[in-house]
Amino acid sequence: EERYRSIVVIQSAWRGYTTRRNIAHQHEKAIRIQTAYRCFIAQLNYQFDVVDIIIVQSIARRRACQKRYAAMIHKRHTDAAIVIQKYWRSYDCTMNYLHSIADILIVQSIVRRWIAMRFVPKFRKKRDDMMATRIQSAVRGWVAWRKFKKQQAAVAIQKTWKGFKQYIEYIFTVADIVMVQKTVKGWIARRELERLKIEKAEQEINHAATTIQKVWKGYQAQMNMLYTLVHIIIVQSVVRRRIAIIKFKPMLMEHRAAITLQCAWRVKVAKKTYAEHNAARKIQAATRGWFTFSAYTAFKAARKIQSWYRCQATRRGYLYYISARKIQTIWRGYDARKLADEERWLRDYAATMIQKNWRMSCQCA
């Protein structure tokens, strides 16, 4: 029985624990559901409130825009009426002014014509007298001018003839003087030329003789000196050859052996030098070829990179140009259409207002 009670107590404790845990989980879930629902309801109410506010604002703004539009339309109507009245009053005033000016000009022309008709006989007589005086003065001036020209021509002819005559006399006198001077100077020059020719011939003969003597004496002395030197050199060479043969005959074999050894050593050194030089030349050629090939490869790669970059830059610039041109075309088309629409609207509006005002004026009349 105690064991049964213990089991019941344990079961009741476990069932209470599980029940409380389930109730706590359910309570927590209910709170989360309520929180989400209340948040949703609050957001929905907020959105409805915002929508109502936006609707009210739109209605108020629409009403304000309608009022402003009505005021603007009224202002435009008023301005158009003012402009039409201004141009009509300006046209009326202009026509009145032009009619007044025309009337004044007509009156002035009639008065001036009457005055002219009164003073025409006197003016004609005065003009005839003045014209006669002018004709007489012109004829007298022409006659006096002809006389003066004839006298001036006679003076010019006399002056020219006297000048020509004096010039001819002067030319003949100068020619005579020049001919006399030419003859005298020619005779003096010929005498001086003959004298100079004789002196020059004498100097040339003396100079030639002196030159010949100098050359012959120099040649003779030089040949004597050369023969003497040749004889001396021959004697010296014979004596020295004899002394050398006597002195260096025991050392001839050693000298030849030394020459042979020197020749062999020089050949060996020359071969070694040639081999080293050939190897160095081959190494230099290989190195230069490698450097040249590397430089050519780098140049080729740089040229390819430059060509690719220039091609890309050109394409990019062309694309920029095409894009800018398209944008400009679209914007200009839009601007032109906008201006055309505005101008068309203004023309239609102006025509409508003019027709409206004209019909109102016709109805009022």
Side-chain angles (χ1 to χ4, degrees):
E1 187 176 355
E2 291 179 0
R3 187 177 180 183
Y4 178 74
R5 288 178 182 176
S6 300
I7 293 169
V8 170
V9 171
I10 292 170
Q11 289 179 353
S12 64
W14 174 253
R15 289 173 182 171
Y17 171 73
T18 54
T19 303
R20 287 192 297 274
R21 188 176 64 181
N22 292 329
I23 291 170
H25 284 298
Q26 290 177 1
H27 183 68
E28 186 179 0
K29 291 178 181 179
I31 290 170
R32 289 183 180 179
I33 292 168
Q34 290 175 359
T35 303
Y37 179 74
R38 288 171 184 172
C39 181
F40 172 73
I41 294 298
Q43 289 180 356
L44 189 64
N45 292 327
Y46 174 74
Q47 289 179 359
F48 281 129
D49 293 337
V50 170
V51 169
D52 295 336
I53 292 168
I54 292 171
I55 292 170
V56 172
Q57 288 179 353
S58 65
I59 293 170
R61 289 172 182 171
R62 181 182 178 187
R63 182 61 180 170
C65 290
Q66 287 178 354
K67 287 183 179 180
R68 285 199 296 271
Y69 179 74
M72 184 178 68
I73 294 298
H74 179 70
K75 185 179 179 182
R76 285 187 179 181
H77 291 174
T78 306
D79 294 338
I82 290 170
V83 170
I84 293 170
Q85 291 176 3
K86 179 180 71 175
Y87 282 109
W88 171 252
R89 289 171 183 172
S90 175
Y91 173 75
D92 191 12
C93 293
T94 303
M95 294 304 295
N96 291 330
Y97 174 74
L98 290 176
H99 285 302
S100 301
I101 292 296
D103 296 336
I104 293 168
L105 291 174
I106 291 169
V107 172
Q108 287 179 354
S109 65
I110 293 170
V111 172
R112 288 172 182 169
R113 183 180 178 187
W114 179 74
I115 293 170
M117 290 177 67
R118 283 189 62 189
F119 288 99
V120 162
K122 295 181 181 180
F123 178 74
R124 284 182 177 176
K125 184 177 180 181
K126 185 177 179 181
R127 186 187 64 182
D128 293 338
D129 294 339
M130 186 171 62
M131 293 301 294
T133 304
R134 287 185 179 179
I135 292 168
Q136 290 175 359
S137 63
V139 171
R140 290 170 184 171
W142 181 75
V143 172
W145 181 76
R146 287 295 300 275
K147 288 181 180 180
F148 174 73
K149 284 295 181 180
K150 288 180 180 180
Q151 186 179 1
Q152 192 175 6
V155 171
I157 292 168
Q158 292 175 0
K159 180 180 71 174
T160 304
W161 170 250
K162 290 177 181 178
F164 176 73
K165 188 176 180 181
Q166 295 296 326
Y167 177 73
I168 292 297
E169 291 179 358
Y170 171 75
I171 290 297
F172 281 121
T173 304
V174 170
D176 295 336
I177 294 169
V178 170
M179 290 299 294
V180 171
Q181 289 179 353
K182 177 183 176 183
T183 304
V184 174
K185 289 179 180 178
W187 178 73
I188 293 170
R190 283 192 294 275
R191 283 187 62 188
E192 187 67 23
L193 181 62
E194 290 294 334
R195 186 179 65 80
L196 291 174
K197 283 183 179 180
I198 293 169
E199 290 181 357
K200 187 175 181 182
E202 292 177 355
Q203 289 179 0
E204 287 180 354
I205 292 169
N206 294 328
H207 181 69
T210 305
T211 304
I212 292 168
Q213 291 175 1
K214 180 177 70 174
V215 171
W216 172 251
K217 290 177 181 179
Y219 173 74
Q220 190 175 9
Q222 189 175 6
M223 291 304 294
N224 292 329
M225 184 186 69
L226 288 174
Y227 282 126
T228 305
L229 288 174
V230 168
H231 294 160
I232 293 168
I233 291 168
I234 291 169
V235 172
Q236 287 178 354
S237 64
V238 171
V239 173
R240 287 173 182 172
R241 184 172 180 273
R242 183 63 181 170
I243 293 168
I245 290 170
I246 294 169
K247 189 175 181 179
F248 291 102
K249 190 174 183 180
M251 300 174 62
L252 183 60
M253 297 301 293
E254 296 178 359
H255 179 68
R256 289 179 179 177
I259 290 172
T260 304
L261 292 174
Q262 288 177 357
C263 290
W265 176 255
R266 287 171 183 170
V267 169
K268 183 179 179 181
V269 172
K271 287 182 179 180
K272 185 178 179 181
T273 305
Y274 176 74
E276 292 177 355
H277 177 71
N278 194 11
R281 187 172 60 185
K282 288 182 179 180
I283 292 169
Q284 289 177 356
T287 305
R288 289 171 182 168
W290 182 77
F291 280 123
T292 305
F293 179 74
S294 300
Y296 176 72
T297 306
F299 172 73
K300 194 173 181 181
R303 188 172 62 184
K304 287 184 179 179
I305 293 169
Q306 288 178 355
S307 63
W308 178 82
Y309 179 74
R310 289 170 182 168
C311 182
Q312 293 296 324
T314 306
R315 289 179 181 175
R316 192 180 299 110
Y318 180 72
L319 290 175
Y320 288 163
Y321 170 72
I322 294 297
S323 301
R325 191 171 64 181
K326 286 185 179 179
I327 292 169
Q328 289 177 356
T329 304
I330 294 169
W331 173 251
R332 288 171 181 168
Y334 170 74
D335 195 9
R337 287 192 296 272
K338 186 177 179 182
L339 292 174
D341 293 338
E342 290 180 357
E343 187 176 0
R344 192 181 298 110
W345 183 81
L346 289 174
R347 287 181 180 178
D348 295 339
Y349 182 73
T352 304
M353 294 305 298
I354 291 169
Q355 290 176 2
K356 180 179 179 181
N357 292 324
W358 175 256
R359 288 170 185 170
M360 290 175 65
S361 62
C362 290
Q363 291 176 2
C364 293

